[in-house]
């Protein structure tokens, strides 16, 4: 029996209400009473700040209301629930992304810029890497992001579907790497400390039970990688190495006659 999927996902709220909120077509909340100083942008910004500081699990309607100094029912006059709020949070993060102008640059430089911009997004908002966006938040922030990223494939002779395929492939790699980087950072904050300290404790124990004759490749390669990276996994190295191989993989498609 498969374990239930527990990851947060966008597009889980009511589509009509979510789109109305994303595009500014939802009715405005009443300005009477203690919520007078609030607006939807403030609610979303507060939720994003809370997620940045404490993780997405800390973002509940009650927690956001408490941070804003209002009762939870006040918050529901601005956004129907956590599902719709998550789409608004992501779209706001997308809207604030820096976007480099790489027009006229070689295609590898353009795609690298897109990858770096998304990696920077996940560095500022680590929680965003944990969200499944198979049903994306279809707001102005996402649309501007998508338009900008597709421009990196202009003039390469790709079909519309191929452009989307290549971009999806690139962004999926960046998101996976960002998740690993976030996991490494989270592990470093535990009592065991960073990977160097953890391996210093584990290595003598492993040496007592590991038969190097039985696992010669694992021993040889694992030791070399650990010495090179100071850990079993270095997210920065994995990003640089993986992005270069990804671009090499796209080259036959992009550089075909």
């Amino acid at each position: 029996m498969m374990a239930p999927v527990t990851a947060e996902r966008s597009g889980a709220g009511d589509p009509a209400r979510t789109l109305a909120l994303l595009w500014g077509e939802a009715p405005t909340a009443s300005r009477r009473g203690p919520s007078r100083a609030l607006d939807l942008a403030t609610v979303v910004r507060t939720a994003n700040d809370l997620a940045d500081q404490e993780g997405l699990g800390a973002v509940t309607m009650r927690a956001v209301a408490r941070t804003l100094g209002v009762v939870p029912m006040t918050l529901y006059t601005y956004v129907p629930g956590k599902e719709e709020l998550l789409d608004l949070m992501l779209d706001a993060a997308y809207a604030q992304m820096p976007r480099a102008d790489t027009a006229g640059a070689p295609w590898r430089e353009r795609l690298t810029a897109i990858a770096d911009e998304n990696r920077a997004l996940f560095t500022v908002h680590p929680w965003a890497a944990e969200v499944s966006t198979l049903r994306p938040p279809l707001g102005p922030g996402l649309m501007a992001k998508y338009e900008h990223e597709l421009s990196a494939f202009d003039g390469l002779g790709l079909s519309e579907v191929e452009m989307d395929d290549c971009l999806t492939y690139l962004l999926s790699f960046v998101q996976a790497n960002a998740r690993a980087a976030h996991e490494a950072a989270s592990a470093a904050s535990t009592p065991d400390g960073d990977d160097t300290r953890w391996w210093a404790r584990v290595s003598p124990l492993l040496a007592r039970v590991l038969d190097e004759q039985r696992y010669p490749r694992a021993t040889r390669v694992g030791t070399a990688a650990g010495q090179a990276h100071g850990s079993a996994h270095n997210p920065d190295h994995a990003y640089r190495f993986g992005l270069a191989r990804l671009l090499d993989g796209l080259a036959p498609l992009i550089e075909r006659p």
Side-chain angles (χ1 to χ4, degrees):
M1 182 177 179
M2 294 181 63
V5 177
T6 57
E8 296 276 5
R9 63 183 180 90
S10 60
D14 177 79
R17 300 177 79 177
T18 300
L19 285 173
L21 287 165
L22 286 168
W23 291 94
E25 295 182 350
T28 57
S30 170
R31 295 303 179 193
R32 294 177 296 176
S35 64
R36 185 176 302 168
L38 289 183
D39 55 31
L40 183 59
T42 300
V43 172
V44 174
R45 184 168 57 250
T46 300
N48 274 4
D49 290 344
L50 187 59
D52 292 343
Q53 296 165 13
E54 301 182 30
L56 193 57
V59 180
T60 64
M61 298 295 281
R62 183 175 297 276
V64 175
R66 182 171 60 248
T67 303
L68 288 166
V70 299
V71 298
M73 286 307 299
T74 299
L75 211 59
Y76 287 100
T77 64
Y78 292 89
V79 61
K82 171 72 178 292
E83 292 81 7
E84 291 83 3
L85 178 59
L86 179 57
D87 280 30
L88 292 164
M89 292 167 62
L90 283 169
D91 201 65
Y94 295 157
Q96 295 165 3
M97 289 176 66
R99 299 187 175 96
D101 181 5
T102 58
W107 70 266
R108 285 177 181 263
E109 183 178 329
R110 284 186 265 163
L111 268 60
T112 297
I114 296 302
D116 288 348
E117 289 166 1
N118 279 273
R119 192 173 189 235
L121 166 74
F122 294 133
T123 300
V124 175
H125 305 293
W127 55 269
E130 305 300 323
V131 180
S132 169
T133 54
L134 293 177
R135 294 180 178 178
L138 301 173
L142 173 73
M143 291 305 176
K145 178 179 184 290
Y146 188 45
E147 180 74 16
H148 165 70
E149 291 167 349
L150 288 174
S151 71
F153 297 91
D154 281 346
L156 300 182
L158 301 176
S159 70
E160 283 78 4
V161 174
E162 287 172 336
M163 291 171 70
D164 183 77
D165 285 343
C166 290
L167 178 59
T168 300
Y169 182 38
L170 177 66
L171 298 187
S172 296
F173 161 75
V174 176
Q175 184 171 12
N177 177 268
R179 286 175 177 166
H182 182 49
E183 290 168 0
S186 297
S189 66
T190 65
D192 288 326
D194 61 21
D195 280 358
T196 301
R197 291 173 55 189
W198 187 85
W199 277 106
R201 293 180 59 191
V202 170
S203 293
L205 303 175
L206 182 62
R208 289 169 48 191
V209 297
L210 181 64
D211 183 350
E212 297 183 6
Q213 300 300 316
R214 186 175 183 181
Y215 308 107
R217 298 175 190 83
T219 302
R220 186 180 70 253
V221 174
T223 299
Q227 291 174 345
H229 307 314
S231 166
H233 178 73
N234 182 314
D236 291 335
H237 169 79
Y239 175 74
R240 294 190 299 271
F241 179 86
L243 180 59
R245 302 294 78 76
L246 186 150
L247 297 179
D248 289 343
L250 292 179
L253 177 67
I254 293 175
E255 296 176 351
R256 63 192 171 187

